Amino acid sequence: MRLHTLTLQAFGPFRTRQSVDFDTLSQGGLFLLHGATGAGKSTIFDAVCYALYGNVPGDRHQTALRSHHAEPATITQVELEFSMSGRRLRIVRTPQQERARRSGNGTTQAQAKTSLEERHGDGSLGQEVWKPIAAAHQEVAREIDALLGMNREQFCQVVLLPQGDFARFLRAKAEDRATVLGRLFGTHRFRNVARWLTDHAKDTGQRCDDARRAVLREVDRIQQTAGTPITDAVEETTPSEDSIDTTHHAALTWAKAVHARAAEVHRTDAATLKAARTEHNTRENRAAQVRTLAERQLRHRTATEALAALRTQAPTFEALRATVERGRRAEQVRPLLHTFDEAERDHQEAYLAETQARTQLPDTYSEDTDGDLAAVENRLKNDLGRLDALRDDEQSSGELAASLSKLAADLDQAQADHDEINHWLNQADTRRTECTARIDAAHLAQTRADQLATTLTTLEQQLAAARRRDLLAADITEAQNRVDELKKTVIHTAAHARQIRDRRIDGMAGELASRLRPEEPCLVCGSLVHPRPATAAADHPSREDEALAEEAYQQADQACKEAEQNLVRLTAEAASARTLAGEEATADLQQRHHDAQQTHKDLLHAAADAVTAHQDLLAFDETREARVRELAALDRRIGDYRGRQETQSAQQETLTLRLAGALDGFPTVAARSTALTAEAEAIARARTAIQRAAVAALQMERAGQVATAESAAAGFEKLADARLAVLPDAELVAMQGRLDAWNADQAKHAAALEDPDLAEAALTEPADLQAAEKALAAAAAQSEAAAIAESTGRDRCEALLGHIDDLTHAVGRLAPLLEDHQVARHLADLAAGTSGDNQYRMHLEAYVLAARLEEVAKAANTRLERMSSGRYVLSHTDARTSSRGRSGLGLEILDLWTGQTRDTGTLSGGESFFASLALALGLADVVAQEAGGSRLDTLFIDEGFGSLDDDTLEEVLEVLDDLRSYSRAVGVVSHVADLRRRIPTQMQVRKSQDGSTVTAMAPALAY
């Protein structure tokens, strides 16, 4: 892939549209990208990464991409033109952002957009055109993945070579190095394989546990089913949880022995049951005989006592028979008595109704006869007819009254509106003057707000710099203290390391002597005789002690260097902040900024009233014209109201005089008509009640005569005697039933006493039923207990056979599962590096990464040997990092001048840089090959050149020239001034208060 042009606007520190022509910069093969700290050098690569992948390197969020310097109307956008696999492509991305509305005030949310185009030649016109490939985010992402063959993290690692990251990678621990390589090479699939093996081992272990629990569950069921007495009598050992893996086959032998013992117990219980049932049958026959004798003796005794009791009730039942006979004669008269009672009740109701109706009549009519009331009723009907003729006049009078009332209210309202409009028009000129004054004040406030906005921006920048200045002052003090402490630590650890080394050298003779063995040559002189070997002191330091002391010194020295670099960085940042903030106190700047903000806010609020005031003025002028027209209309309306009022008042007076005589003091025709109607209805009700009472009296007299005659014929002297003799049907039937039951009971008990079986039983000795039942209950209990024992034994044997079948199945399932689990566990431990057979304790992913690291080291050494003048070579080691650590991802430096292998942390700053650079270039080559061999013709190298001497720098630049010789364009990002003389093609990024800009410098203009 080769970059051609990059165009960005409102992106990062770049406010305006900036273009980078990589074709021009790449003509010399090597170009320099330089500029002040924070100017935006890294943003150039961020824009390239964002254009391709829709995101920037690292963890920064896309909402931070928009430039704070950009105008609200300027859209944040990145456009990249590049070539890949012979195709010329252009990608344009716009992130989601707030933009100014096209009409009106405020902002709106603009959605993210992406487009990918390819350049094609147009044969008909003889020119090239861009044709779209994809416009959706996901479609563009698929196209980029297919073209480049690598993800965003791999692209950033291959195209941008950050020196600081690879210096850390060079010295990193194996675990940290594995994390970086795993992301770049995508070895998570091997981690997933190892995880699957672990999960498979857990799964097989779980299946073994389930099968083991199934066997133990069947053993428990057999124990529970058989019971403790039976299982204790079995000589075989009961299987347990601790021994089930090795003794699961013996469980079947134990289960069969338990079943045999249970069968023996069942046979004994069956014999006992047979004897108990024979005894129960004998006792049951004897109890039946005693029960029959006792029942006959009881029946004879009960009949004798009951017959004597019935005969003592004879007088009572003779009286009951006479009452029943009188009730049956009275049944013939009961319908006539009922008719007479109903006629008497109807007469009483009619009389009460007549009395009530007469109380509702006027006093003058309360004693009148039916004929007199009829004449009064006819007169009232004639009066109601005359009132109906006056209803139209009454309605017209009411309508005139309502109209006059409404006219009076309308006239009052019109006069009030007329007065209000007159008052408003008198004050109109004053109100119009107030509106024009508001407009002038708003315009003045807007002018002052615009002037203050420039001052407010300057104050914001100055206040931010002052706050940064204050924070850095405390950080610098803390950093200086840490540097001082670390320097003391370096001095102390260096002295301690020298002391340990000197002591070891002084006692080296004793150390060598401790290695002497009889009949073995001396390591120094080669003699086989050791007459006086030296002895080492008790506190003689070992090689490990010396290595630990040296390692402590190296760590302290490295920490001190990093702290000093941090102090230099903080000091430079503080100086920059002081330059922008000045010496004014932060509190004073904050107060000035707050006052300016508040003033600006008040001015904007006042200026915002201009539109409202102008609208109020236009509305006021329109209102005044409308009110003048409304005043003239009110004058015409008031005259019309007064004329209509005079005409309707005359009509109302005429109708009132005509109605006054006919109403007789009532307020309305309806009220007078309602009163007359109520009086007529009361008279009609009274006449009806009088007529009904006369008819009811005649009917009552006739019913009394018939009932008296029929009572005498039935044998009753008086009508009251017949009424007393009448009984309810249910009571009469009940009395007859009592008589019939009394007679039947006497006959039944007399017949029982004549039964020969009962008579014979009465002469026999009284039966002892309790003793017979007690003997039977004892025999039944014994038989039931024996039956339960026999049934329990039979069910136990059947259940044990079923459990033995289940146990056989469970044991047969457990054995192969145990074998599968052992194999799965062994493979999982090997892949995880925890198995004893894995001597390097290297897990599967680390094994794959170790192979990749070997390739990276081999690729890095092709450049490292040249950069180091043939002195250093990177080598991969499988050695463990510690006694508990795992091996596979170690890196060492082989010094070919001394033949010694060194730790990567012992390299100097310059050596670390070119070793890191070589490692980065090697890793880039391997990652590109792993991603599909995509050729990357544009590379960026970030910083680190300042730590090199002239000769080494020359070697490094020659290596970079080699990269250029393969048609690659290499961009160097650096502050080193010497590189500006060595690399003629340059691109400078300048920063200012209005945002950063990019300037390409041709070789003739470089310095």
Side-chain angles (χ1 to χ4, degrees), residues 688-961:
T688 301
I690 291 171
Q691 294 169 4
R692 179 185 172 193
V695 172
L698 180 61
Q699 290 177 348
M700 180 184 69
E701 182 180 0
R702 291 176 180 174
Q705 293 173 356
V706 173
T708 301
E710 289 295 329
S711 297
F716 296 102
E717 296 180 0
K718 300 178 181 179
L719 191 61
D721 294 339
R723 192 184 298 277
L724 290 175
V726 173
L727 295 174
D729 292 341
E731 184 177 353
L732 187 62
V733 171
M735 288 182 178
Q736 184 63 50
R738 289 175 59 194
L739 281 172
D740 295 342
W742 182 69
N743 291 328
D745 287 343
Q746 289 188 92
K748 181 184 69 172
H749 293 308
L753 293 178
E754 293 175 0
D755 187 346
D757 292 335
L758 297 183
E760 182 182 357
L763 299 176
T764 307
E765 186 73 19
D768 190 356
L769 182 60
Q770 183 176 4
E773 292 289 351
K774 184 175 181 181
L776 176 61
Q782 186 175 1
S783 176
E784 182 178 2
I788 292 173
E790 189 275 335
S791 177
T792 301
R794 183 175 63 256
D795 293 343
R796 182 190 297 118
C797 290
E798 294 175 355
L800 286 175
L801 288 176
H803 292 330
I804 289 173
D805 292 340
D806 294 340
L807 179 62
T808 303
H809 175 72
V811 169
R813 181 171 172 265
L814 176 60
L817 289 177
L818 288 173
E819 295 177 2
D820 291 345
H821 176 60
Q822 291 174 358
V823 173
R825 182 72 268 168
H826 181 65
L827 290 176
D829 291 342
L830 280 176
T834 58
S835 172
D837 295 337
N838 190 336
Q839 60 179 347
Y840 289 110
R841 300 186 65 191
M842 186 184 302
H843 54 78
L844 181 60
E845 184 181 12
Y847 175 78
V848 177
L849 291 175
R852 293 292 187 272
L853 188 58
E854 286 182 357
E855 296 176 8
V856 170
K858 184 183 299 182
N861 284 331
T862 60
R863 299 181 179 94
L864 178 59
E865 290 185 24
R866 185 171 179 183
M867 290 182 186
S868 63
S869 300
R871 180 177 180 181
Y872 294 119
V873 174
L874 277 170
S875 62
H876 162 255
T877 176
D878 288 332
R880 292 189 182 182
T881 56
S882 64
S883 59
R884 288 192 172 187
R886 297 190 179 185
S887 57
L889 296 176
L891 274 180
E892 294 178 339
I893 286 288
L894 175 60
D895 189 343
L896 297 178
W897 290 3
T898 63
Q900 297 293 321
T901 300
R902 297 168 54 185
D903 186 82
T904 55
T906 62
L907 296 174
S908 66
E911 292 171 338
S912 294
F913 168 69
F914 61 67
S916 301
L917 178 58
L919 186 62
L921 293 171
L923 184 60
D925 291 341
V926 176
V927 170
Q929 183 179 1
E930 177 72 13
S934 300
R935 179 177 173 81
L936 301 173
D937 295 325
T938 306
L939 299 179
F940 293 88
I941 301 175
D942 187 10
E943 281 300 347
F945 295 90
S947 60
L948 303 179
D949 55 59
D950 292 342
D951 293 337
T952 305
L953 179 59
E954 190 64 34
E955 295 287 349
V956 171
L957 291 178
E958 288 181 4
V959 172
L960 297 181
D961 281 338

Side-chain angles (χ1 to χ4, degrees), residues 371-417:
D372 296 335
L373 292 175
V376 175
E377 185 178 6
N378 290 330
R379 179 173 56 79
L380 291 175
K381 290 180 179 179
N382 292 332
D383 292 342
L384 286 170
R386 288 193 298 272
L387 280 174
D388 287 338
L390 295 176
R391 289 184 183 276
D392 292 340
D393 291 342
E394 183 183 43
Q395 181 177 0
S396 299
S397 177
E399 292 174 352
L400 286 172
S403 178
L404 286 170
S405 177
K406 185 176 183 304
L407 280 173
D410 291 344
L411 182 60
D412 293 341
Q413 182 63 44
Q415 189 63 49
D417 293 342

Side-chain angles (χ1 to χ4, degrees), residues 247-267:
T247 62
H248 51 274
H249 295 292
L252 294 175
T253 302
W254 169 82
K256 293 176 181 179
V258 170
H259 177 265
R261 176 58 183 167
E264 181 180 352
V265 172
H266 174 249
R267 287 192 294 271

Side-chain angles (χ1 to χ4, degrees), residues 341-616:
D341 291 341
E342 287 183 349
E344 188 176 21
R345 184 168 56 254
D346 291 343
H347 176 262
Q348 185 65 27
E349 291 176 355
Y351 177 76
L352 292 175
E354 178 185 358
T355 303
Q356 180 66 25
R358 286 183 178 277
T359 60
Q360 297 177 2
L361 294 174
D363 294 340
T364 56
Y365 309 140
S366 60
E367 300 298 331
D368 289 357
T369 63
D370 181 51
D372 296 335
L373 292 175
V376 175
E377 185 178 6
N378 290 330
R379 179 173 56 79
L380 291 175
K381 290 180 179 179
N382 292 332
D383 292 342
L384 286 170
R386 288 193 298 272
L387 280 174
D388 287 338
L390 295 176
R391 289 184 183 276
D392 292 340
D393 291 342
E394 183 183 43
Q395 181 177 0
S396 299
S397 177
E399 292 174 352
L400 286 172
S403 178
L404 286 170
S405 177
K406 185 176 183 304
L407 280 173
D410 291 344
L411 182 60
D412 293 341
Q413 182 63 44
Q415 189 63 49
D417 293 342
H418 186 277
D419 296 340
E420 188 270 331
I421 292 173
N422 264 332
H423 177 71
W424 191 91
L425 291 173
N426 291 334
Q427 298 180 348
D429 293 337
T430 302
R431 294 179 181 175
R432 195 175 193 285
T433 302
E434 293 175 355
C435 287
T436 56
R438 284 174 55 198
I439 294 174
D440 295 340
H443 288 165
L444 179 59
Q446 183 63 53
T447 302
R448 293 179 58 196
D450 294 341
Q451 295 171 352
L452 187 57
T454 303
T455 304
L456 187 59
T457 300
T458 304
L459 279 174
E460 289 175 351
Q461 296 174 351
Q462 195 173 358
L463 177 58
R467 289 172 174 165
R468 180 61 178 164
R469 176 196 63 196
D470 297 344
L471 291 174
L472 287 172
D475 293 343
I476 288 172
T477 302
E478 183 180 353
Q480 184 62 56
N481 294 334
R482 175 161 177 76
V483 168
D484 295 340
E485 293 177 359
L486 288 174
K487 285 182 178 179
K488 294 177 183 179
T489 303
V490 169
I491 295 172
H492 174 72
T493 54
H496 180 65
R498 285 195 301 273
Q499 182 185 5
I500 292 295
R501 186 166 53 253
D502 294 342
R503 288 174 54 201
R504 184 162 179 259
I505 292 173
D506 294 341
M508 185 59 70
E511 182 178 337
L512 293 174
S514 64
R515 303 177 187 175
L516 294 176
R517 295 293 183 270
E519 303 302 329
E520 291 183 3
C522 176
L523 298 175
V524 179
C525 64
S527 174
L528 296 178
V529 180
H530 317 301
R532 289 185 299 170
T535 58
D539 57 349
H540 176 69
S542 62
R543 180 190 296 272
E544 289 77 11
D545 295 335
E546 182 181 3
L548 289 175
E550 181 64 24
E551 182 180 0
Y553 162 69
Q554 294 294 340
Q555 290 177 352
D557 183 60
Q558 181 62 30
C560 183
K561 290 178 180 179
E562 293 175 355
E564 288 175 342
Q565 292 175 0
N566 184 49
L567 178 60
V568 171
R569 180 183 60 80
L570 292 175
T571 304
E573 291 182 8
S576 176
R578 281 196 300 272
T579 301
L580 183 57
E583 298 300 330
E584 187 173 357
T586 304
D588 297 338
L589 284 172
Q590 187 171 358
Q591 185 61 44
R592 285 175 56 196
H593 179 264
H594 178 269
D595 295 342
Q597 266 189 332
Q598 186 61 43
T599 303
H600 187 260
K601 181 179 179 181
D602 295 341
L603 289 173
L604 290 177
H605 183 269
D609 190 44
V611 177
T612 305
H614 185 68
Q615 293 174 350
D616 291 346

Side-chain angles (χ1 to χ4, degrees), residues 924-1004:
D925 291 341
V926 176
V927 170
Q929 183 179 1
E930 177 72 13
S934 300
R935 179 177 173 81
L936 301 173
D937 295 325
T938 306
L939 299 179
F940 293 88
I941 301 175
D942 187 10
E943 281 300 347
F945 295 90
S947 60
L948 303 179
D949 55 59
D950 292 342
D951 293 337
T952 305
L953 179 59
E954 190 64 34
E955 295 287 349
V956 171
L957 291 178
E958 288 181 4
V959 172
L960 297 181
D961 281 338
D962 288 343
L963 296 176
R964 179 175 61 182
S965 64
Y966 293 101
S967 298
R968 283 186 175 179
V970 180
V972 176
V973 183
S974 178
H975 293 280
V976 178
D978 190 38
L979 289 177
R980 301 183 193 178
R981 294 188 296 269
R982 294 173 179 263
I983 304 176
T985 305
Q986 300 175 18
M987 180 172 62
Q988 184 177 11
V989 182
R990 293 188 177 91
K991 67 177 180 179
S992 66
Q993 294 183 357
D994 296 329
S996 299
T997 58
V998 177
T999 304
M1001 303 178 66

